[in-house]
């Protein structure tokens, strides 16, 4: 009688294990099917192109073509292209995602007038307007004022070493451009001294360590340090 009881217990245990296994397997299949059939959210966007009237820039007749991607949930992407009006040569291309959409009101009739006032200045004092645009980072320290210098020989705008978070001063009389950047340890100032042709004569670097009264100075000509010193800041 005891043997029959043991056999019955063993068969009952095996049956329960099989039932649990089958139930777990079925639930797993159902879960997998549910995930596979979920739809990803759809982000809709509109597109728009705007072409400016011809305008004179750096002794060239030019025109803008801007292509916009306008997202329904908020957000804007702009592809800016600047062309020579006569030859149709591409002078500049820049892809930009503005942080503040209201700064780029594509519906405004004065849109391109605003673009030209905002994005052109002579940074190397050669008499030609250069292109600039502010790229927002996660914080001011990681942001950048991008500067693309106009190459009159190639008739194109080219990225330059002058880009920095802040353009501190444009001294057109003495032909000096001062930029400013910083990190967690130091503040950095650079003074670019240009000749009349827009080429850099020399650079002065000033490094101010935080919470100190000293400054480290370097003068650089053709990528070589020709002078350096450390001074105490006078109050």
């Amino acid at each position: 009688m005891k043997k029959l009881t043991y056999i019955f217990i063993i068969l009952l245990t095996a049956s329960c294990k099989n039932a649990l296994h089958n139930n777990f397997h079925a639930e797993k299949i159902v879960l997998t099917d549910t995930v596979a059939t979920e739809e990803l959210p759809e982000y809709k966007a509109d597109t728009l192109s705007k072409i400016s009237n011809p305008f004179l820039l750096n002794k060239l007749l030019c025109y803008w073509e801007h292509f916009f991607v306008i997202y329904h949930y908020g957000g804007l992407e702009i592809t800016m292209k600047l062309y020579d009006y006569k030859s149709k040569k591409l002078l500049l291309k820049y892809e930009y995602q503005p942080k503040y959409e209201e700064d780029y009101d594509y519906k405004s009739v004065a849109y391109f007038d605003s673009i030209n006032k905002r994005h052109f200045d002579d940074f190397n004092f050669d008499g030609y307007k250069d292109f600039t645009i502010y790229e927002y980072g996660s914080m001011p320290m990681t942001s950048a004022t991008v500067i693309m210098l106009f190459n009159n020989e190639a008739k194109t705008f080219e990225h330059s070493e002058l880009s920095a978070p802040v353009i501190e001063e444009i001294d057109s009389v003495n032909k000096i451009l001062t930029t400013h950047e910083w990190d967690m340890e130091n503040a950095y100032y650079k003074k670019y001294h240009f000749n009349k042709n827009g080429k850099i004569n020399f650079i002065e670097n000033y490094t101010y360590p935080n919470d100190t009264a000293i400054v480290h100075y370097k003068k650089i000509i053709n990528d070589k340090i020709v002078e350096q010193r450390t001074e105490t800041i006078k109050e």
Side-chain angles (χ1 to χ4, degrees), residues 6-233:
Y6 292 148
I7 292 171
F8 175 75
I9 292 172
I10 291 170
L11 291 174
L12 181 61
T13 303
S15 176
C16 290
K17 286 183 178 180
N18 288 334
L20 288 172
H21 176 77
N22 290 336
N23 288 338
F24 176 77
H25 184 65
E27 289 177 1
K28 184 178 181 181
I29 293 173
V30 171
L31 179 61
T32 304
D33 289 344
T34 302
V35 173
T37 56
E38 285 182 356
E39 293 185 2
L40 294 175
E42 183 179 1
Y43 296 109
K44 296 182 179 180
D46 295 324
T47 59
L48 173 70
S49 293
K50 288 177 71 78
I51 298 177
S52 75
N53 292 323
F55 61 95
L56 196 62
L57 176 70
N58 295 337
K59 301 179 181 179
L60 295 173
L61 194 61
C62 306
Y63 71 94
W64 280 112
E65 181 180 14
H66 285 198
F67 180 78
F68 302 86
V69 178
I70 307 148
Y71 294 97
H72 292 189
Y73 63 85
L76 178 68
E77 293 180 1
I78 311 173
T79 300
M80 305 178 177
K81 293 182 180 181
L82 182 68
Y83 291 95
D84 182 306
Y85 183 76
K86 294 181 179 179
S87 67
K88 310 303 179 186
K89 177 182 177 180
L90 182 64
L91 309 177
L92 166 70
K93 179 180 178 181
Y94 201 91
E95 296 180 355
Y96 187 57
Q97 188 170 358
K99 182 176 182 178
Y100 302 105
E101 295 177 44
E102 60 270 21
D103 291 342
Y104 293 85
D105 183 7
Y106 53 88
K107 297 179 181 179
S108 171
V109 294
Y111 171 76
F112 285 113
D113 290 336
S114 174
I115 291 294
N116 290 343
K117 289 178 182 178
R118 182 195 302 266
H119 293 300
F120 289 111
D121 206 341
D122 186 1
F123 291 97
N124 61 342
F125 315 103
D126 62 351
Y128 296 100
K129 293 290 184 69
D130 307 304
F131 178 78
T132 180
I133 196 165
Y134 191 76
E135 287 280 4
Y136 285 91
S138 58
M139 62 184 73
M141 185 172 65
T142 58
S143 301
T145 301
V146 177
I147 296 176
M148 298 177 67
L149 297 178
F150 181 70
N151 184 328
N152 187 44
E153 294 182 3
K155 307 299 183 187
T156 56
F157 291 83
E158 302 170 351
H159 285 278
S160 74
E161 65 179 280
L162 306 180
S163 300
V166 177
I167 303 301
E168 193 73 22
E169 183 181 11
I170 301 174
D171 183 352
S172 56
V173 175
N174 297 302
K175 295 182 171 56
I176 301 173
L177 176 71
T178 304
T179 65
H180 174 208
E181 57 187 298
W182 62 96
D183 55 28
M184 301 301 292
E185 297 178 351
N186 304 290
Y188 308 92
Y189 289 84
K190 285 186 178 182
K191 289 190 174 185
Y192 297 89
H193 296 254
F194 293 90
N195 62 24
K196 63 180 180 179
N197 297 318
K199 304 298 182 183
I200 298 174
N201 279 333
F202 62 92
I203 304 170
E204 292 181 295
N205 284 353
Y206 298 84
T207 301
Y208 296 85
N210 295 338
D211 302 321
T212 65
I214 62 173
V215 56
H216 302 291
Y217 171 84
K218 292 180 181 179
K219 182 177 181 179
I220 300 172
I221 300 178
N222 295 328
D223 297 325
K224 293 183 179 180
I225 300 173
V226 297
E227 182 183 347
Q228 59 181 330
R229 61 180 182 270
T230 299
E231 299 177 348
T232 301
I233 301 173

